[in-house]
Amino acid sequence: MSTNVEGKVVVITGASSGLGETTARHLAAKGAKVFLGARREDRLATVVADIVRAGGQAAARKVDVTRRAEVNAFVQAAVEKFGRMDVLVNNAGLMALAPISKTLVDEWDRMVDINIKGVLYGVAAALPVFARQKGGHIINLASVAGHKVTMGGAVYCATKHAVRAISEGVRQEVDGIRTTIISPGAVQSELPLGISDPETSAAIEQFYRQTAIPADAVARAIAFAIEQPADVDINEILLRPTAQEL
Ligand code: NDP
């Protein structure tokens, strides 16, 4: 079946687990050429091998999104491998929830570095490529936490509000490219493992066990945004488990 995903080069950060991995597998099955990045190279290699074995096209390169030069090299490697880049999915993220009064400042720094600066470095690396190609698509993973502020989520929510602001700014200012914000509620992944505060971790694990939906739901939303005709830009998709109240 021919779709508007087939043949597109989709570059995904944070593709070693969770939403990024599932999205890579989903898009590759629809005929996209996927280029995967994260820090855990062994995990990336497994995903690439699975996709290739199933007849898809995939490659990977180690990247730490908090390092600007690495993000640049990652995007350049994707363009060298597949000849162009149609979509960049800025998906890498960290959710170190904790009461702000615990002042886990190192974790605040890491969330700002990964969730905000990582996205900005991706945008900076992509824009010259898209200018040369006269088109492209940036998809940024925000969250329900980018729409509201929840207990223990001051900094994480701040980073996800920032992702939405950055995405909307790019959309308004840069001609000819599409910008999509994906804002999920609770989705099964390794994200809760990023919580070091014991009470918050226990509460979130229970919430995820009761509520979270499979990562495929997000992969399908991303595919929906990509497969629209070039003159249609899906600006944001906000999706929750049906069972999620807040
Ligand atoms: P996971 O923890 O499963 O995946 C996070 C990914 O980010 C991993 O592949 C990890 O790879 C990568 N990553 C983390 N730090 C870095 C870094 N410095 N450089 C490069 N890659 C990095 O969680 P999810 O799949 O759930 O998270 C994906 C995105 O979705 C995040 O932005 C998250 O905030 C967002 N989101 C998730 C929701 C959920 O309920 N799951 C809800 C709303 C939004 P590695 O460790 O190998 O580098």
Side-chain angles (χ1 to χ4, degrees), residues 13-21 37-41 43-44 63-66 90-95 110 114-115 141-145 156 160 182-194 208 212 215:
T13 68
S16 58
S17 62
L19 280 51
E21 174 187 345
R39 294 163 304 175
R40 289 171 294 176
E41 287 180 284
R43 299 277 293 258
L44 293 175
V63 64
D64 181 337
V65 299
T66 67
N90 285 311
N91 165 77
L94 173 68
M95 182 179 75
R110 288 185 58 222
I114 297 169
N115 300 359
L141 266 291
S143 172
V144 166
Y156 180 69
K160 292 305 185 179
I182 304 287
S183 291
V187 178
Q188 290 158 12
S189 77
E190 297 177 11
L191 200 67
L193 301 178
Y208 269 66

Side-chain angles (χ1 to χ4, degrees), residues 116-168:
I116 302 180
K117 290 169 79 176
V119 169
L120 286 170
Y121 294 157
V123 169
L127 289 185
V129 177
F130 290 162
R132 248 187 347 261
Q133 292 175 181
K134 301 198 186 332
H137 191 172
I138 295 178
I139 299 179
N140 292 329
L141 266 291
S143 172
V144 166
H147 287 260
K148 54 196 293 183
V149 181
T150 48
M151 293 294 281
V155 180
Y156 180 69
C157 294
T159 67
K160 292 305 185 179
H161 279 70
V163 169
R164 293 186 61 239
I166 292 162
S167 308
E168 174 60 8

Side-chain angles (χ1 to χ4, degrees), residues 75-89:
V75 166
Q76 293 318 314
V79 172
E80 266 164 44
K81 171 72 185 170
F82 290 125
R84 57 183 287 116
M85 174 170 75
D86 296 292
V87 185
L88 173 64
V89 185

